[in-house]
Amino acid sequence: MKAELISKAECAQPGPSRLTHGQGWFTQEQGLLTLLDREFTPFRTFDLGEDLSSFAVSPDLTRVVAGGKDHIRLLDEHGTTLWSVEHTPWGTGYSYSGSCAFSADGSQVWATVPETGPGCEPHDEDAEDDEDAEDAWLEGDEWWVVNAATGALMARKWLGCEATGSVTHLHPDGVHMGLDVGEGQDGSRIYWGAYENGVLRLSATDDVTRALTDIHPDGHAYVTIPRDADGISVHTFPGRAVIAHRPDRDFLRSDEWPIDARYLDRESILVETVDRNWTCARHLVLDAEDLRFRGEITYPPGTVPSSFHSVHAGTWHTNDGNHLCAWRPGR
């Protein structure tokens, strides 16, 4: 399957990446976040500070939430801090890094924080109390839902894990949030959350051997890759049942394994593999429903394969160190 070059633009390093759901572009270096227009011209810059754990840009591109080592703060389009909420510092125990995201309408901030220590408990009369909840894990890191306008804690849930890192996924239904948490040698955990009618509902998969990489554009399924398992799987949402599985031996060479898998469009999944040196090996296309192997992406002569990113609406981007290249499957 040939890759068709759509555009090629010179870019300084680090090159730009697309914001969630294709709503803009950004570069991030040494605490400075720069938003770019479609021509990659900078139009807004935020100083996110040192010891940055994560950040997220609001749907209207006017605000940024920055997760620091011991706080979460919201900045407006002028760089002014509108509010800041403290939490136990990352790295205090075995929790090293988190993630954050805005809800679909920008009214909430979802953020993971380390296990809350003595004297750091959030105090808010409107926050949901988990102590009597049947589905609560009363230990480990927490998932907070914060009012984006005021910084007030709306709800929180214990996750029962200690993250080395995590990624928050916005579900297309605008209600649910997905959370992939890596725990190093202890594997990976997947959580689903929804805040409705003043209550945060949380569920988790029992499998700690797989990582959530993407959600189908229609929201009815999601794809996972192995951490301590075999092959790529597609699961139903919200049921979480496996509806398709492709073992490694069916599409991988003996010296490679999948490192990422994203929905290229509603019908196909783009998979990246790496070799034993953690170097990008191949880009493969699988059917989104049954994971049937559709083909390997072949690039024009002289193109050095590199990690894909900014997968969106049938296109993806690569960066060769000097140029940002946009691709789509050849017709």
Side-chain angles (χ1 to χ4, degrees), residues 15-30:
S17 296
R18 193 188 295 271
L19 290 166
T20 303
H21 296 282
Q23 58 186 340
W25 294 83
F26 73 93
T27 60
Q28 193 266 323
E29 185 177 19
Q30 296 181 347

Side-chain angles (χ1 to χ4, degrees), residues 72-305:
I72 305 165
R73 63 189 180 107
L74 187 77
L75 290 77
D76 67 11
E77 59 188 311
H78 305 294
T80 302
T81 298
L82 301 180
W83 52 258
S84 181
V85 180
E86 293 184 353
H87 58 69
T88 301
W90 290 106
T92 300
Y94 293 99
S95 302
Y96 297 105
S97 181
S99 61
C100 59
F102 280 91
S103 59
D105 62 3
S107 67
Q108 303 161 6
V109 170
W110 291 61
T112 61
V113 302
E115 182 173 4
T116 303
C120 294
E121 297 89 345
H123 297 283
D124 194 300
E125 295 180 355
D126 296 327
E128 177 191 349
D129 188 348
D130 271 338
E131 291 187 3
D132 297 323
E134 293 181 358
D135 60 344
W137 296 269
L138 299 181
E139 60 179 8
D141 298 345
E142 300 175 14
W143 207 2
W144 288 4
V145 181
V146 180
N147 186 311
T150 65
L153 182 65
M154 302 167 67
R156 61 172 175 163
K157 287 282 189 180
W158 279 265
L159 296 172
C161 67
E162 293 173 308
T164 57
S166 67
V167 178
T168 303
H169 298 262
L170 178 63
H171 193 280
D173 67 6
V175 175
H176 289 87
M177 304 291 277
L179 180 66
D180 178 75
V181 176
E183 291 192 283
Q185 64 182 11
D186 293 328
S188 184
R189 298 174 184 262
I190 300 172
Y191 301 87
W192 297 100
Y195 183 79
E196 296 180 286
N197 301 318
V199 178
L200 173 59
R201 300 299 182 192
L202 182 67
S203 63
T205 60
D206 296 327
D207 189 353
V208 297
T209 66
R210 310 198 64 80
L212 170 66
T213 57
D214 204 6
I215 304 172
H216 191 280
D218 292 339
H220 72 276
Y222 61 94
V223 61
T224 64
I225 62 174
R227 283 295 177 254
D228 292 305
D230 176 70
I232 293 177
S233 296
V234 173
H235 310 250
T236 60
F237 184 87
R240 306 199 299 266
V242 176
I243 54 176
H245 178 75
R246 186 65 56 190
D248 291 345
R249 64 178 181 273
D250 284 2
F251 65 98
L252 296 183
R253 298 167 180 164
S254 61
D255 61 346
E256 66 177 353
W257 61 89
I259 192 67
D260 201 359
R262 304 295 176 97
Y263 283 98
L264 183 58
D265 50 36
R266 286 172 168 77
E267 291 78 37
S268 55
I269 294 173
L270 185 63
V271 178
E272 179 176 322
T273 70
V274 293
D275 59 24
R276 293 176 180 176
N277 297 317
W278 289 93
T279 301
C280 176
R282 296 189 297 162
H283 293 161
L284 312 174
V285 179
L286 305 181
D287 186 90
E289 293 298 323
D290 60 12
L291 294 178
R292 183 179 69 258
F293 181 71
R294 288 189 170 184
E296 177 182 348
I297 296 293
T298 58
Y299 291 94
T303 302
V304 178

Side-chain angles (χ1 to χ4, degrees), residues 6-66:
I6 303 172
S7 64
K8 185 176 183 178
E10 291 187 6
C11 63
Q13 297 302 308
S17 296
R18 193 188 295 271
L19 290 166
T20 303
H21 296 282
Q23 58 186 340
W25 294 83
F26 73 93
T27 60
Q28 193 266 323
E29 185 177 19
Q30 296 181 347
L32 289 179
L33 173 68
T34 302
L35 303 187
L36 314 172
D37 62 21
R38 293 182 179 179
E39 303 300 322
F40 305 118
T41 301
F43 68 88
R44 189 164 294 144
T45 300
F46 298 88
D47 185 354
L48 304 184
E50 300 178 353
D51 296 322
L52 184 68
S53 174
S54 61
F55 71 89
V57 181
S58 65
D60 62 4
L61 308 183
T62 63
R63 297 166 297 160
V64 170
V65 59

